[in-house]
Amino acid sequence: MAYVTLACAIVSEILATTSMKYSDGFSRLWPSLATALGYLLAFALLAQTLKSMSVGTAYAIWSGAGTAVIAAIGMVFLGESASAFKILGVLLVIAGVVVLNLDGAH
């Protein structure tokens, strides 16, 4: 159940960050509200996850997955560059999360 809650926290954080892009520096009401509500929900779900999962594992997955997905959204949908270095960086973030979680599998 902790992984389901964590997945919901990640999706909420991704939606909040994407909304922030469209808030135009918090000058547009609806994207700004979506940003605030998304982060509030993301942190509430992350806090629930931490009741049954170690903080290092939960935060590594939450931040790593969020970073990787937001970078991909930027490259695929928002016209950001998709250089080899940027893609390598995303892959390294994912690899780092995997390595951090290998220790928890023992």
Side-chain angles (χ1 to χ4, degrees):
M1 187 64 177
Y3 283 100
V4 172
T5 307
L6 182 58
C8 292
I10 292 165
V11 169
S12 182
E13 187 264 338
I14 290 166
L15 293 172
T17 302
T18 304
S19 295
M20 189 186 307
K21 170 70 176 169
Y22 293 104
S23 75
D24 197 28
F26 295 114
S27 65
R28 297 180 60 216
L29 178 63
W30 296 114
S32 298
L33 287 176
T35 299
L37 291 173
Y39 278 119
L40 181 64
L41 180 60
F43 283 113
L45 290 168
L46 182 60
Q48 291 303 308
T49 301
L50 295 178
K51 289 181 177 181
S52 59
M53 185 182 288
S54 71
V55 69
T57 300
Y59 194 74
I61 295 169
W62 184 69
S63 61
T67 299
V69 173
I70 287 297
I73 288 171
M75 289 184 274
V76 173
F77 298 109
L78 300 176
E80 296 177 5
S81 67
S83 69
F85 281 122
K86 191 178 278 190
I87 293 168
L88 176 63
V90 170
L91 293 174
L92 288 171
V93 167
I94 293 168
V97 170
V98 170
V99 170
L100 285 170
N101 284 294
L102 288 177
D103 186 52
H106 297 300

